[in-house]
Amino acid sequence: MNLPIPDYFNGTIRVIAVAVSEGAIGVAEDKTISQGYFVIQPQAPYFASPGDEFEVTALVANNLQGTSGDSSTVTVRLDTASSLELMGNSEQQVSITPGGDSTVRFRVRAKSMPGAAPMTIIASGRGKRATYTLDMSIRPASPLVTTITSGYVKKGLLTSVKADLPLHRKMYPQYRDVEVAASAMPLGLSYGMIRYLVNYPYGCTEQVVSAAFPGVVLGSRPELGLGKERVSQSLARAMATLQGRQNSDGSFGLWTSGADTVPFISAYATHFLLEAREHGLEGPPSLLERSLGAMRQLAASPQGGLDEMRAQAYALYLLARSGVVVTNQLVTLREALDRDYPKTWLNDIAVDYMAGAYKLLRMDSEGAQLIRYAQAAQPGMENSTGYSDELVARALYIYIVSKHFPEIAKKLSPDDLITLANPIIQGRQNTFSSAYAILALEAYANTAAPTQRAKLALTEKLTDGSSRALVPQGDLFTRATVPADAVSVHIEGDTPFILFYQLLEAGFDLEPPNQEIKDKIEVFREFRDEQGQTVDSASLESKINVAVSVRALDAPVSNVALVDLLPGGFELDLSREGIANRTSQVQGPGTWHPDYIDVREDRVIFYGTVDTQAQTFVYRLRPTNRG
């Protein structure tokens, strides 16, 4: 048997063979030394941004036997991918006596070609050679971002509708993904949100569940771009995550299993599992069974504030969906809501869940009474969890009436649907509200939406003013890829209804913003030495503290994901004195305490609430390469 040995391995290999028969067992053991003619120990950054220059070093040990002068001459060459540029000679000759070692340095520059950038160091002499291949990545100075431009055109006196959508972003061609989609059906609005969710890179329990919801409820509609492989991947990720984060009582932790739970999100995860079962995508039975057990405990727990009662209403609705009779609990909860929040709760999304639960229990008069209030429901004034906003309120109403009050859903007017579309058009959606909007649009499409086909023409306009037809795909939901040389997209079609459209732009921006962006929050970062002084350079022996300061402009903002990309040539200090314990290096009244910190190779992601008072989190970096 031949066993390939990696080029970077030098050392002892132990081989153990075991033979077993019915009457005996035998073990043999041997070892051998794997040692190249040259031992190479390279040092290069894990990542770099386009335009970065850095030093790649290699400690080369000469294991050639003999003492002749030829034995001391070693040629060291660096071969790089096309995305890297050598700033000097690619080959150097050094004198290394047998048994000795020496360090070789190369200067390298990262080109504007994001992606993997492998390098190979080759040492040779006296007809012998050794190689070492190492991988790094070229990562733009800003993260991958997905932006969606949404809108609609109402039918006028003429049936022809038109829209012009300018492209707003200049992006690297690598990983660039720009598409236009249009449909006369409201469900067409889900296309951009699908892409936003399935590409969402962060992962608390709510976000993982939200990212998997499109595949569960729309996986049977391949015309919306959800292939079987993508659906199965997102579903498997969500199920595995929920299994790992489920507590013994059936609830779900936000980041890991444990006490850090939000009852409303545990209900949301249970909702996901129920939808998966109803769409024929059932996961592990025990997962749903335990989560329903958590819903029973939640529904039976003493009422707290409006946040807790909203979660209890959600739990009762889900239990009713699963066939549990919860009449007594509904009556008790409604009495508590009427007593404690008589002027608030009928204007809260809790009323939607209560109306749906009554309808499922065949208590039609109670359900009909509450659903009239639900039509005007808005986010609760005392909602502190951040999981309810205008889009959630509108989406939940359409979802509940489409699922349980079809006679009302069939009477919804185009203007009712536009109230759902407006927050999406204004860019006020997040992962949670996007998933809820998809649930609403899918339920409405199955119950009441007419099947409208629009004859659409999609055209791209180029920089020279000329136009070129795009190649459309799909019928009910028409979409097309937009090439990089387009400056805008023109949509034109005939429809007796409303034309909904979206332009999706995903990728890495070529240039960072040329001015400050302050949208609800502001962020400031600076590098400090160990004495607390601001610096713009550092030696390899030093340690650098990164101070990230955040502040909300008008009101506290919850569920924020703040991504801090590390500069090339640095690595995180993962020691206990560093970021290993997920606490700030500096503690005090102005310290920011995120809910969770995700440490990755090239970035730190903070999740938490940003207050109106400036707060700072400090963590430490260590330089690894000159550059």
Side-chain angles (χ1 to χ4, degrees), residues 129 137 225 237 303 306 416 424 457 552 607:
R129 71 197 301 266
S137 64
R237 180 194 178 207
Q303 290 83 19
L306 186 56
D416 291 323
I424 300 170
Y607 301 88

Side-chain angles (χ1 to χ4, degrees), residues 155-175:
K155 174 191 172 184
L157 296 175
L158 303 176
T159 57
S160 179
V161 291
K162 301 178 182 180
D164 285 295
L165 308 176
L167 273 67
H168 299 288
R169 299 170 59 192
K170 298 294 183 183
M171 294 179 284
Y172 289 95
Q174 297 85 1
Y175 309 104

Side-chain angles (χ1 to χ4, degrees), residues 459-526:
T459 307
E460 62 169 324
K461 292 188 176 181
L462 309 178
T463 53
D464 60 3
S466 62
S467 299
R468 185 168 57 199
L470 296 173
V471 180
Q473 301 177 31
D475 184 11
L476 285 175
F477 309 99
T478 302
R479 65 185 191 276
T481 300
V482 182
D485 55 354
V487 295
S488 66
V489 177
H490 178 76
I491 305 172
E492 188 167 348
D494 291 323
T495 172
F497 193 52
I498 299 175
L499 182 67
F500 298 93
Y501 59 81
Q502 290 185 314
L503 176 68
L504 180 141
E505 298 175 87
F508 295 98
D509 291 307
L510 276 169
E511 299 291 340
N514 54 17
Q515 60 185 6
E516 290 183 354
I517 298 175
K518 296 181 181 180
D519 184 5
K520 295 186 180 180
I521 64 174
E522 61 180 1
V523 182
F524 180 76
R525 180 185 69 172
E526 62 181 10

